[in-house]
Amino acid sequence: MLRLALTHSSYNSEKSHLHNYERLEFLGDSILGFTAAEYFYHKLSDRPEGELTKIRANAVCEKSLAAFAADMGIGEFLFMSRGEDLQGGRNRPSILADVVEAIIAAVYLDGGMEPAKKFALIPIKSAATDVAAVTDYKTLLQEIIQKNPDEQLRYVLAAESGPDHMKSFTVEVYLNSNLVGTGEGHSKKKAEQAAAREALRLMGIEQ
């Protein structure tokens, strides 16, 4: 079952849909979507339906799944034709994302829903570290402040630490000369979003 989940359509000369991961991908996609919906429904109990939909879509999108597959080194285990391999198939995001869904289905068919959900939660939780970025707190804060032309927002990088591959940034946001929020993140953009969110909380807008 795992071998089937790792087999690209180009690997089989007969190109039969019964000998590659495509049918498994179809099933795994549904399991992944349901698992993500259930996870975020309970974890983010204060978020409205529209925002939960965006967060789920971000967690199960091709980019997130492909990044997870790349971190796991799944590409090197794929069965595909030499031509597909030479064309970069092992690193193609669309293929990697499809294979993750196929593996989820393989786990489900072999062991049932609970093991499948347990595996599916790994990429979901990995993508969930970017949940804050789904809501654009900077834009929301700017829209509120710009109603008064005399008010000015300014983001200042207050500190950065850690090695190059795992930097941590601290950003402060000022309303005119007043510090109204501080945020941290592994990128300046995420730190700015966190600072804007804190400012909104202080204003009683973001809970």
Side-chain angles (χ1 to χ4, degrees), residues 47 51 129-143 153-157 169-174 180-202 206-207:
R47 303 291 183 95
E51 193 169 334
T129 59
D130 294 327
V131 161
V134 175
T135 301
D136 191 347
Y137 297 108
K138 281 186 66 178
T139 297
L140 178 57
L141 180 60
Q142 183 64 43
E143 289 174 349
L153 280 175
R154 181 168 53 96
Y155 292 86
V156 176
L157 178 61
F169 300 89
T170 300
V171 168
E172 297 174 341
V173 58
Y174 289 83
V180 293
T182 302
E184 295 183 357
H186 289 301
S187 72
K188 293 178 183 178
K189 289 184 178 180
K190 290 181 181 179
E192 289 175 351
Q193 288 284 353
R197 185 178 189 183
E198 182 177 274
L200 289 167
R201 282 175 173 166
L202 292 175
E206 171 66 25
Q207 298 180 352

Side-chain angles (χ1 to χ4, degrees), residues 4 12 16 30 37 39 42 58 67 76 85 97 100 107-109 119 126 146 159 177 182 199 203 206:
L4 183 62
N12 301 290
S16 168
S30 295
Y39 174 73
H42 292 294
N58 180 72
E76 64 181 284
D85 191 357
V100 171
V107 174
Y108 166 73
L109 292 173
F119 177 75
S126 177
Q146 68 185 14
S177 60
T182 302
M203 296 167 66
E206 171 66 25

Side-chain angles (χ1 to χ4, degrees), residues 8 14 25 36 40 55 62-63 74 80 87-88 91 95 105 134 165 168 171 197:
H8 187 261
E14 68 270 24
E25 172 205 339
F40 289 121
I55 292 171
E62 178 183 297
K63 180 180 179 181
I74 288 176
M80 57 177 52
Q87 292 176 25
N91 299 309
I95 292 178
V134 175
H165 68 281
S168 179
V171 168
R197 185 178 189 183

Side-chain angles (χ1 to χ4, degrees), residues 57-141:
N58 180 72
V60 302
C61 71
E62 178 183 297
K63 180 180 179 181
S64 295
L65 295 180
F68 167 72
D71 288 342
M72 294 283 288
I74 288 176
E76 64 181 284
F77 298 103
L78 298 182
F79 296 93
M80 57 177 52
S81 69
R82 178 172 173 77
E84 185 67 38
D85 191 357
L86 291 174
Q87 292 176 25
R90 293 186 187 280
N91 299 309
R92 187 169 298 137
S94 59
I95 292 178
L96 291 176
D98 290 347
V99 169
V100 171
E101 293 175 340
I103 293 174
I104 292 171
V107 174
Y108 166 73
L109 292 173
D110 181 66
M113 182 59 84
E114 289 309 310
K117 287 169 63 176
K118 184 176 181 180
F119 177 75
L121 279 172
I122 302 174
I124 290 171
K125 288 181 177 180
S126 177
T129 59
D130 294 327
V131 161
V134 175
T135 301
D136 191 347
Y137 297 108
K138 281 186 66 178
T139 297
L140 178 57
L141 180 60

